[in-house]
Amino acid sequence: MRPLIRTACLRARVRAMATLPTTTAAAFSSTRAPFPCPSPSPARRLLVATRLLPSAPPAAAAGARTLRTSAATAEAAVEVGGVKIAREDVVKEDDPTNNVPDTIYSKIGLQLHRRDNHPLGILKNTIYDYFDKSFPSQFVKFDDLCPLVSTKQNFDDVLVPADHVSRSYNDTYYVDAQTVLRCHTSAHQAELLREGHTHFLVIGDVYRRDSIDSTHYPVFHQMEGFRVFSPDDWSGSGMDGTAYAATDLKKTLEGLATHLFCAVEMRWVDTYFPFTNPSFELEIYFQGDWLEVLGCGVTEQEILKSNGRTDHVAWAFGLGLERLAMVLFDIPDIRLFWSNDQRFTSQFSKGKLGVKFKPFSKFPPCYKDMSFWINDEFTENNLCEVVRGIAGDLVEEVKLIDNFTNKKGMTSHCYRIAYRSMERSLTDEEINDMQWNVREEVKSKLRVELR
């Protein structure tokens, strides 16, 4: 598998696999886009992350030193799939199409899903066990593919519409105009099909610009499953290929849900995905409520034909590891998955699914409000990127609590920022330093008027 990993990463790095879709280019230039990429002029550049701190008062010195130390740590190259990725490959201050901050680069290569004693690794291996027992020696597993992919891989190859919101600068981390940090593990689907694989599981870290709360994080982990059928597989079934694949898909995933959650009530919900038709979501009745487990469907014929599988059918599914692990292990905050605190890591052991997490701290949150007049370019995702760039995992939530428009047509937003460490009490000085830096960065980077 190593040559495949190297090829995927290097192709992305030299940007030889795709050209920028027309709508993406428009998103970079349009002044009405959710978060347009401005012209290269320094006065117009909107860097989403905190790369350079403003001049800080003496009280903020400790916080500034911490941030500078974090940035220096991020300079070191990381290795994924045998390929070294340096900071300058991902964070490009001089490229106006780049919106990847150091906080995101620092997560590349950590691969929580490959740690056998981590909740995500335990869940991944449990799913592996199910497929190994149900389909012996059939599914090939890929969990070390490079997260740098082309826009063609991430969007075009899986039929994401040209005007889909996920292509926007506001939702996706662009390394440059042709390269992104993958938004989903489906980005590797076409290449694996071209390599000749017919049964495979792809697991990896994926990246999306998102809000800040207990269930959302800009880096999380997905698993994709894919199975191809030839006409011989369904010829004697009395069903056409699509019906046969859909029936097999539902049977397979109901078995997986039972493997993870034991005997539970299940239901299928029709939905829409660009790359499958028909498309479904599997929900289970768990702890008194319906829980979405995964999305899936029968693969669009265009994908198969484009990758050498004419006259075949296939199914695909995708699930978020954090979403399921939070339920199975009773983990209340998604930030905990990234904790190195032994009070967290020592609670989990290889092969033990569903061990209930025991909270080790009940430190109170500290709330700080911030009001400002927004402009046409403002989006909440951009605000969250700035706050996360300053406070890192010490920010628990960013929530809009009030908004109004005055007689002049100016709109004001008031956001409440909750600071809380999962491991210790924060001092007043720390919180005040972070809030001061947040206000300065929001004013300078988002060009809003503080109230």
Side-chain angles (χ1 to χ4, degrees):
M1 293 189 289
R2 186 57 53 85
L4 174 63
I5 297 169
R6 183 174 294 275
T7 299
C9 192
L10 290 179
R11 284 179 182 173
R13 290 175 66 182
V14 300
R15 305 183 299 279
M17 295 189 65
T19 57
L20 181 66
T22 302
T23 55
T24 303
F28 287 140
S29 60
S30 170
T31 58
R32 299 295 296 180
F35 186 39
C37 183
S39 65
S41 168
R44 287 284 297 159
R45 294 200 57 211
L46 293 180
L47 296 179
V48 181
T50 304
R51 292 171 179 162
L52 295 174
L53 288 174
S55 299
R65 282 196 297 272
T66 300
L67 290 167
R68 283 195 292 269
T69 301
S70 298
T73 301
E75 297 280 355
V78 296
E79 185 171 318
V80 181
V83 178
K84 288 187 176 180
I85 305 173
R87 177 182 180 274
E88 57 267 24
D89 295 328
V90 180
V91 181
K92 304 178 181 181
E93 286 94 340
D94 295 329
D95 187 341
T97 65
N98 180 280
N99 65 346
V100 183
D102 279 315
T103 51
I104 295 301
Y105 171 74
S106 69
K107 298 295 191 291
I108 296 176
L110 296 184
Q111 297 186 313
L112 303 182
H113 61 285
R114 303 188 77 199
R115 303 179 185 183
D116 289 343
N117 292 327
H118 191 279
L120 300 184
I122 296 168
L123 176 57
K124 179 200 76 172
N125 289 331
T126 303
I127 298 174
Y128 278 180
D129 289 342
Y130 169 75
F131 279 93
D132 287 342
K133 292 175 182 177
S134 302
F135 309 94
S137 303
Q138 292 187 42
F139 279 84
V140 182
K141 308 174 186 71
F142 300 88
D143 69 352
D144 194 26
L145 299 178
C146 182
L148 289 173
V149 299
S150 67
T151 53
K152 180 177 184 296
Q153 288 174 294
N154 199 71
F155 301 121
D156 300 335
D157 284 351
V158 288
L159 310 182
V160 174
D163 60 351
H164 197 274
V165 65
S166 64
R167 290 181 182 259
S168 75
Y169 193 71
N170 185 60
D171 283 44
T172 295
Y173 288 108
Y174 278 83
V175 175
D176 55 42
Q178 289 84 34
T179 312
V180 299
L181 287 169
R182 64 187 171 211
C183 301
H184 46 196
T185 47
S186 301
H188 304 286
Q189 189 180 104
E191 184 165 6
L192 292 176
L193 282 171
R194 290 193 296 270
E195 292 285 335
H197 297 285
T198 60
H199 299 62
F200 54 85
L201 301 173
V202 180
I203 307 89
D205 41 325
V206 297
Y207 302 77
R208 296 180 191 174
R209 302 179 80 238
D210 213 336
S211 55
I212 298 176
D213 59 38
S214 62
T215 61
H216 292 86
Y217 201 80
V219 188
F220 58 104
H221 299 75
Q222 274 191 347
M223 174 181 289
E224 160 139 335
F226 202 92
R227 183 179 184 181
V228 179
F229 300 90
S230 70
D232 291 340
D233 292 320
W234 71 80
S235 60
S237 68
M239 295 183 281
D240 62 25
T242 297
Y244 182 85
T247 300
D248 184 86
L249 169 66
K250 290 183 176 181
K251 178 181 177 182
T252 299
L253 297 181
E254 286 172 359
L256 175 60
T258 300
H259 184 70
L260 296 177
F261 294 95
C262 299
V264 290
E265 184 180 353
M266 307 179 202
R267 70 182 182 187
W268 290 96
V269 179
D270 293 336
T271 188
Y272 164 79
F273 300 115
F275 26 78
T276 55
N277 184 27
S279 302
F280 315 101
E281 289 176 346
L282 174 60
E283 297 182 349
I284 64 170
Y285 195 72
F286 188 75
Q287 295 180 347
D289 202 0
W290 286 102
L291 170 71
E292 178 191 336
V293 175
L294 51 82
C296 62
V298 178
T299 306
E300 286 280 6
Q301 278 295 302
E302 183 179 341
I303 294 175
L304 295 171
K305 291 177 180 178
S306 298
N307 296 287
R309 292 290 171 179
T310 303
D311 299 327
H312 290 64
V313 297
W315 56 243
F317 74 84
L319 59 82
L321 294 181
E322 278 89 347
R323 179 181 180 83
L324 298 185
M326 290 181 77
V327 174
L328 289 165
F329 293 95
D330 276 355
I331 294 175
D333 194 305
I334 196 169
R335 294 176 297 164
L336 279 165
F337 289 111
W338 300 92
S339 176
N340 290 318
D341 193 307
Q342 287 190 347
R343 291 173 295 176
F344 175 77
T345 59
S346 64
Q347 295 190 36
F348 309 103
S349 302
K350 179 179 179 180
K352 295 184 178 181
L353 182 72
V355 173
K356 303 306 180 184
F357 169 67
K358 298 178 181 178
F360 52 82
S361 67
K362 294 183 179 179
F363 300 113
C366 178
Y367 298 101
K368 295 287 185 179
D369 292 350
M370 178 172 60
S371 299
F372 48 83
W373 301 105
I374 66 171
N375 53 42
D376 290 340
E377 297 172 340
F378 174 81
T379 71
E380 190 170 300
N381 277 358
N382 298 331
L383 172 64
C384 290
E385 285 294 302
V386 171
V387 177
R388 194 180 281 115
I390 295 290
D393 286 350
L394 297 181
V395 59
E396 180 176 71
E397 185 178 41
V398 174
K399 183 178 181 180
L400 179 66
I401 60 171
D402 187 38
N403 70 91
F404 70 90
T405 301
N406 66 13
K407 294 181 179 179
K408 296 181 179 180
M410 298 174 62
T411 299
S412 171
H413 281 187
C414 179
Y415 284 89
R416 176 158 294 163
I417 303 175
Y419 297 99
R420 184 194 334 226
S421 170
M422 305 299 293
E423 302 169 357
R424 61 184 178 85
S425 291
L426 298 176
T427 66
D428 290 340
E429 183 180 16
E430 283 181 290
I431 295 169
N432 290 335
D433 287 349
M434 286 188 288
Q435 184 68 6
W436 186 91
N437 279 312
V438 165
R439 290 176 60 85
E440 290 299 305
E441 292 295 281
V442 166
K443 180 172 66 175
S444 64
K445 291 193 178 355
L446 303 186
R447 301 204 308 276
V448 299
E449 181 183 345
L450 298 178
R451 297 183 60 221

